[in-house]
């Protein structure tokens, strides 16, 4: 029986393109949680996220079968860009100006914040409060700014990677982050919250 554990995602994608269906099963298993988390964050609704996720993987399958994938970078960036395009297409069809309407369901509570919570109980409480404050501020940002903050701070992507995924220039990505930080600092000052964030 053939094993795929030693193959990269990019190799699996090319194997599937060449007709190896089991390679796709491994590819899906490796990428579905990260991709679904991104989609859920962007749309803010679990049912809609499931629909978008399925649409995304249908597009991925079609593109792979048509040989439209070349190993020119990380498969996860390529698939996230397809998800981004599926989300944008859905909202264009609905003639909506926003990807996500801020609401109590649209928070980042499902994200890990291990790196922020270290030390004693007091610092743990303070860091939890900071994350809550950051979540509330992010909910108030325009969707394009919220997306770039999420990708930069929670997915640890570079601005080049963010630009590739969202289909804009690096300068546009940097501009969105700059305005997001300006807006978040303004909100932090208004509510007396200490916020130390850099590009």
């Amino acid at each position: 029986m053939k094993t795929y554990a030693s193959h990269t995602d990019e190799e699996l994608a090319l194997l599937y393109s060449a007709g190896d269906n089991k390679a796709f099963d491994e590819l899906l298993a490796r990428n579905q949680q990260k991709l679904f988390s991104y989609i859920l964050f962007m749309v803010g609704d679990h049912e809609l996220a499931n629909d978008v996720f399925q649409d995304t993987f249908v597009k991925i399958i079609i593109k792979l079968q048509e040989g439209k994938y070349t190993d020119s970078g990380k498969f996860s960036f390529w698939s996230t860009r397809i998800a981004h395009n599926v989300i944008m297409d859905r909202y264009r069809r609905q003639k909506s100006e926003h990807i996500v309407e801020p609401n109590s369901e649209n928070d980042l509570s499902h994200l890990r914040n291990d790196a922020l919570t270290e030390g004693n109980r007091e610092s743990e409480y303070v860091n939890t409060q900071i994350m809550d404050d950051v979540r509330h501020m992010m909910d108030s940002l325009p969707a394009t700014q919220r997306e770039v903050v999420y990708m930069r701070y929670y997915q640890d992507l570079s601005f080049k990677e963010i630009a590739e995924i969202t289909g804009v220039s690096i300068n546009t990505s940097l501009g969105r982050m700059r305005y997001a930080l300006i807006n978040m600092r303004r909100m932090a000052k208004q509510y007396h919250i200490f916020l130390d964030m850099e590009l």
Side-chain angles (χ1 to χ4, degrees), residues 122-197:
E122 184 179 330
S123 69
E124 194 172 309
Y125 172 78
V126 168
N127 285 327
T128 300
Q129 187 60 50
I130 289 168
M131 286 305 296
D132 287 344
D133 293 339
V134 168
R135 278 194 217 74
H136 291 299
M137 286 188 284
M138 282 182 68
D139 285 346
S140 300
L141 292 174
T144 53
Q145 292 175 22
R146 187 166 55 248
E147 180 179 40
V148 76
V149 170
Y150 175 80
M151 289 179 166
R152 183 76 184 111
Y153 290 107
Y154 292 94
Q155 293 187 319
D156 200 28
L157 299 180
S158 70
F159 286 102
K160 181 176 186 232
E161 292 164 341
I162 293 168
E164 288 171 5
I165 289 169
T166 56
V168 298
S169 70
I170 293 176
N171 285 341
T172 299
S173 292
L174 286 165
R176 287 176 179 174
M177 176 61 83
R178 181 174 167 267
Y179 286 116
L181 293 178
I182 288 169
N183 286 331
M184 290 177 77
R185 284 191 181 115
R186 180 183 44 77
M187 287 184 268
K189 186 175 181 181
Q190 182 180 353
Y191 296 108
H192 308 290
I193 298 166
F194 176 72
L195 186 64
D196 184 19
M197 297 176 80

Side-chain angles (χ1 to χ4, degrees), residues 32-112:
Q32 64 184 358
Q33 186 57 48
K34 182 177 179 185
L35 191 59
F36 184 80
S37 295
Y38 166 74
I39 293 167
L40 181 60
F41 175 78
M42 291 307 298
V43 302
D45 177 84
H46 205 276
E47 193 173 316
L48 179 57
N50 277 322
D51 290 344
V52 170
F53 179 78
Q54 290 183 23
D55 288 350
T56 299
F57 262 94
V58 166
K59 284 189 181 293
I60 288 170
I61 289 167
I62 290 168
K63 287 181 182 293
L64 288 173
Q65 288 175 343
E66 291 175 346
K68 291 186 177 173
Y69 176 78
T70 54
D71 185 3
S72 58
K74 284 195 168 188
F75 175 82
S76 62
F77 298 149
W78 183 75
S79 58
T80 302
R81 177 158 180 138
I82 292 173
H84 171 82
N85 291 339
V86 169
I87 292 167
M88 298 309 289
D89 288 345
R90 273 183 174 258
Y91 284 98
R92 277 190 202 107
R93 284 196 302 268
Q94 294 174 1
K95 295 183 179 172
S96 173
E97 293 183 1
H98 302 287
I99 291 177
V100 181
E101 289 297 327
N103 59 53
S104 61
E105 302 291 319
N106 178 19
D107 65 25
L108 300 177
S109 61
H110 64 284
L111 297 173
R112 294 177 56 216

